[in-house]
Amino acid sequence: MKPTSPAQRHMARVLAEKAAATSIHGEPVQGSAYDLMCAKLITDRQRLKQIQSIKKKIEVKREILPDYNEWVESTLKYGKGAQDTVLVTVLVWYIDTGDYARALEVAHYCMFHNLSLPDQYNRNLATMLLDEIPGEYLAGRFENPAEALATLKAVQLMTVDEDVPDQAMAKLYKALGYAQIGKIGNGDIEFDQLTEDDTSRALEYLRKALDLTDSIGVKKDIERLERRLKQLADAKTQTQAQA
């Protein structure tokens, strides 16, 4: 049940802090507070399972996520890395609802402590992050390319040494390349307006993506970036010759 009064919220926070502080790294979280959160999670997941519309599912997730605030805050502050099905599930929901800043906070904790996703996700945490957050950008769900670039770089730092499928890492590099030049979703950009620095960085990202998997869909944009670099080099040479 969601705490409805200040006193109930305080008690929920106290119990959550105790559970986080006393649970053992690598072992499942213990305590009545965790049992209650797991029960709530089961109820919320059953509710979501009955909904067909993806849009409606996201709306419901936004509605119920505040119910988990005390648990998440307490875990991030006092947790010692115990296995926590509630926390990792809520992490996925933060991504689904576009709360990427909050997702990164939780992801840092989960990656640092090597937490596992529930079995139904059929992948490890690093692969999930590489699939979902770059996928959100490539689907056009980030409104700000600069914010997206910072978020994607944070994901890169968290996953750079992880053993993940090539396709997942390639998706990250593709998203990084497009965010570097402000290309969102299926939209296009004026390549002949790109700076040399943005062009070079984006080209490096897209080449890495292509090197990992030939079917990532970046070949034409690599060619356009290569032409832009040549255009910039020719212009620089002409300017120097005229000096």
Side-chain angles (χ1 to χ4, degrees):
M1 294 292 291
K2 176 183 177 181
T4 56
S5 71
Q8 288 175 315
R9 289 194 294 271
H10 173 73
M11 181 57 67
R13 188 178 301 109
V14 169
L15 292 174
E17 290 173 359
K18 181 180 179 180
T22 57
S23 294
I24 300 172
H25 177 85
E27 298 293 328
V29 181
Q30 300 296 320
S32 59
Y34 184 60
D35 292 341
L36 288 172
M37 294 307 299
C38 286
K40 173 175 170 49
L41 182 65
I42 290 171
T43 299
D44 287 340
R45 287 178 56 191
Q46 288 174 341
R47 177 184 175 188
L48 289 165
K49 190 175 181 179
Q50 294 171 355
I51 299 171
Q52 298 290 325
S53 166
I54 299 298
K55 182 178 179 180
K56 180 62 177 177
K57 283 180 186 284
I58 291 173
E59 291 174 356
V60 171
K61 287 175 182 177
R62 287 198 180 104
E63 173 192 326
I64 61 181
L65 273 170
D67 298 351
Y68 294 88
N69 281 346
E70 282 82 11
W71 184 263
V72 172
E73 289 288 351
S74 299
T75 303
L76 296 183
K77 188 173 182 180
Y78 298 103
K80 298 178 180 178
Q83 290 295 329
D84 189 335
T85 297
V86 173
L87 187 70
V88 292
T89 302
V90 168
L91 165 58
V92 178
W93 291 356
Y94 283 134
I95 297 172
D96 292 341
T97 58
D99 192 348
Y100 306 117
R102 188 59 160 164
L104 286 181
E105 285 186 280
V106 178
H108 276 294
Y109 175 91
C110 293
M111 289 294 295
F112 181 80
H113 292 293
N114 195 31
L115 300 193
S116 300
L117 288 169
D119 291 341
Q120 70 265 22
Y121 288 101
N122 297 317
R123 50 189 169 169
N124 63 23
L125 183 60
T127 302
M128 184 278 291
L129 293 173
L130 290 169
D131 277 337
E132 299 302 326
I133 294 183
E136 291 284 293
Y137 181 77
L138 295 172
R141 298 192 183 100
F142 276 85
E143 296 181 359
N144 186 326
E147 176 189 357
L149 188 59
T151 301
L152 292 165
K153 285 182 176 179
V155 173
Q156 182 185 27
L157 286 174
M158 281 190 282
T159 59
V160 64
D161 295 322
E162 299 295 321
D163 182 18
V164 296
D166 290 341
Q167 293 88 342
M169 188 62 74
K171 184 186 289 188
L172 172 66
Y173 283 127
K174 179 178 180 177
L176 279 166
Y178 284 172
Q180 185 71 50
I181 57 178
K183 182 174 180 178
I184 302 176
N186 294 323
D188 207 351
I189 62 167
E190 297 291 336
F191 277 77
D192 60 0
Q193 300 298 314
L194 294 175
T195 66
E196 182 177 359
D197 182 63
D198 283 342
T199 304
S200 297
R201 290 177 184 271
L203 184 58
E204 180 181 358
Y205 287 135
L206 296 191
R207 283 173 172 168
K208 286 182 177 180
L210 184 62
D211 185 58
L212 287 167
T213 175
D214 192 59
S215 61
I216 194 64
V218 297
K219 291 180 181 179
K220 289 184 178 179
D221 285 323
I222 286 176
E223 292 173 357
R224 297 170 78 181
L225 289 168
E226 288 173 340
R227 286 197 296 270
R228 175 57 178 162
L229 275 186
K230 184 178 185 305
Q231 182 185 48
L232 289 165
D234 290 346
K236 186 182 295 185
T237 299
Q238 185 178 6
T239 299
Q240 291 172 345
Q242 293 173 348

